Amino acid sequence: MSDDSLILEFFEAFMSEFVLGKVAFETNRYAEQYLKKEDIAPKSRVKYWKPVNIGELYVFLATSMLMARNKKLEINEYWSTDPLLMSPIFNKILSRDKYLLILRMLHFCNNENQISGDRLFKLDVVLDEIRANFNAGMVPFQNLVIDESLVLWKGRLSFKQFIKSKRHRFGVKLFVLCDVETDFILDIIIYTGAETRLLQCDKNIGISGAVVMTLMAPYLKKGYNLYTDNRYTSSILCQHLLKKKQQLLELSGKIEEGCLI
């Protein structure tokens, strides 16, 4: 990426055509399963479903992003012909029925392979790819930071959180690893309660310590400085990380000695 790169190229660095290809495949599979199993009402728009392709998903995502810049009370209002509500751009890029059909069928996995108790199963295909793309997006500077973030969500969700101190109090809690110099997100962990995906660590460092060790796993013994707030700071975790630093110093000393020889 450079200053001359197109906005689309930056977008595709994280949400690649390969990822959207997977989404298109799973969306079409789910639609096929739905049409076979469900009793469809005679006038339902679902009867007019046609397989979606990658190009249509790009347009669908662009339309969804545009909605965030031109907020209305209901989705149907984006295609309204009422002079007080009309936004002609939406009719020009995608029809209302097509948008609602894709939104209805949008899927990231095969429901028939659902794993009991895995709360992120339906997102794994996309989530793993995006996390990998962010992780590979840049080599961070020396200083890293770990903190919480809350993605606004007021719908029904078993692991939805309420954090009074946040601007949006209800939502999905994320543990985020960022580069201090650029604010670039390097990795995230989605909090799902007891099923949160963390590395098996010393129980004495607690859940917050396990979050730190999981996010920092690729960056240990590489000379990075880590900043955290009180939630993640404990004497046991500090001692654990200090041992990693000492191991790094010992390793670098051996390398220098070998070079001198």
Side-chain angles (χ1 to χ4, degrees), residues 49-110:
W49 168 263
K50 293 182 180 179
V52 68
N53 57 43
I54 296 175
E56 289 171 329
L57 281 182
Y58 270 113
V59 176
F60 172 82
L61 288 175
T63 304
S64 300
M65 292 177 184
L66 186 58
M67 287 177 174
R69 298 297 304 274
N70 186 8
K71 294 185 178 180
K72 300 184 187 296
L73 298 180
E74 297 180 1
I75 289 181
N76 287 333
E77 290 181 353
Y78 288 99
W79 287 270
S80 173
T81 55
D82 187 320
L84 294 176
L85 300 174
M86 187 168 54
S87 299
I89 184 64
F90 291 96
N91 272 321
K92 291 180 180 179
I93 58 179
L94 190 65
S95 70
R96 181 197 63 184
D97 286 352
K98 185 64 176 180
Y99 181 88
L100 293 176
L101 270 175
I102 296 176
L103 184 64
R104 175 67 184 83
M105 297 299 179
L106 189 65
H107 252 66
F108 308 128
C109 70
N110 184 0

Side-chain angles (χ1 to χ4, degrees), residues 152-192:
L152 176 63
W153 176 260
K154 293 185 178 180
R156 295 177 59 186
L157 190 65
S158 59
F159 50 91
K160 180 177 66 177
Q161 296 289 299
F162 171 78
I163 301 180
K164 187 177 181 180
S165 61
K166 299 294 184 182
R167 182 179 179 185
H168 301 301
R169 299 183 178 184
F170 292 94
V172 180
K173 184 166 74 173
L174 308 178
F175 301 110
V176 185
L177 175 68
C178 290
D179 172 64
V180 173
E181 185 79 13
T182 62
D183 296 333
F184 186 87
I185 295 175
L186 299 167
D187 201 357
I188 63 169
I189 296 174
I190 299 178
Y191 178 76
T192 57

Side-chain angles (χ1 to χ4, degrees), residues 11-240:
F11 176 79
E12 289 180 332
F14 306 106
M15 180 64 77
S16 64
E17 187 172 326
F18 176 72
V19 176
L20 288 180
K22 288 185 176 181
V23 175
F25 177 81
E26 294 298 346
T27 298
N28 291 329
R29 172 156 56 187
Y30 173 73
E32 185 178 348
Q33 293 170 347
Y34 180 89
L35 292 171
K36 286 181 179 179
K37 294 181 179 179
E38 301 293 332
D39 293 328
I40 310 300
K43 295 184 179 181
S44 173
R45 66 167 59 95
V46 175
K47 295 183 67 175
Y48 302 100
W49 168 263
K50 293 182 180 179
V52 68
N53 57 43
I54 296 175
E56 289 171 329
L57 281 182
Y58 270 113
V59 176
F60 172 82
L61 288 175
T63 304
S64 300
M65 292 177 184
L66 186 58
M67 287 177 174
R69 298 297 304 274
N70 186 8
K71 294 185 178 180
K72 300 184 187 296
L73 298 180
E74 297 180 1
I75 289 181
N76 287 333
E77 290 181 353
Y78 288 99
W79 287 270
S80 173
T81 55
D82 187 320
L84 294 176
L85 300 174
M86 187 168 54
S87 299
I89 184 64
F90 291 96
N91 272 321
K92 291 180 180 179
I93 58 179
L94 190 65
S95 70
R96 181 197 63 184
D97 286 352
K98 185 64 176 180
Y99 181 88
L100 293 176
L101 270 175
I102 296 176
L103 184 64
R104 175 67 184 83
M105 297 299 179
L106 189 65
H107 252 66
F108 308 128
C109 70
N110 184 0
N111 285 355
E112 295 178 352
N113 296 332
Q114 174 71 53
I115 300 173
S116 179
D118 187 349
R119 294 177 171 180
L120 294 178
F121 172 78
K122 291 193 175 184
L123 295 176
D124 274 343
V125 170
V126 172
L127 186 60
D128 289 346
E129 291 284 348
I130 292 177
R131 286 181 59 209
N133 289 340
F134 268 91
N135 188 264
M138 71 168 288
V139 176
F141 290 86
Q142 189 172 20
N143 297 324
L144 307 177
V145 63
I146 292 176
D147 203 356
E148 299 174 358
S149 180
L150 199 68
V151 178
L152 176 63
W153 176 260
K154 293 185 178 180
R156 295 177 59 186
L157 190 65
S158 59
F159 50 91
K160 180 177 66 177
Q161 296 289 299
F162 171 78
I163 301 180
K164 187 177 181 180
S165 61
K166 299 294 184 182
R167 182 179 179 185
H168 301 301
R169 299 183 178 184
F170 292 94
V172 180
K173 184 166 74 173
L174 308 178
F175 301 110
V176 185
L177 175 68
C178 290
D179 172 64
V180 173
E181 185 79 13
T182 62
D183 296 333
F184 186 87
I185 295 175
L186 299 167
D187 201 357
I188 63 169
I189 296 174
I190 299 178
Y191 178 76
T192 57
E195 291 79 25
T196 303
R197 296 171 180 175
L198 300 172
L199 294 178
Q200 295 295 324
C201 302
D202 186 347
K203 293 182 180 180
N204 293 326
I205 67 174
I207 299 298
S208 60
V211 169
V212 172
M213 297 307 298
T214 302
L215 290 173
M216 286 296 297
Y219 304 100
L220 293 176
K221 300 182 182 181
K222 294 182 179 180
Y224 289 102
N225 297 325
L226 175 65
Y227 293 85
T228 63
D229 60 18
N230 292 339
R231 175 181 176 83
Y232 304 96
T233 305
S234 69
S235 59
I236 297 176
L237 177 61
C238 289
Q239 290 172 3
H240 190 74

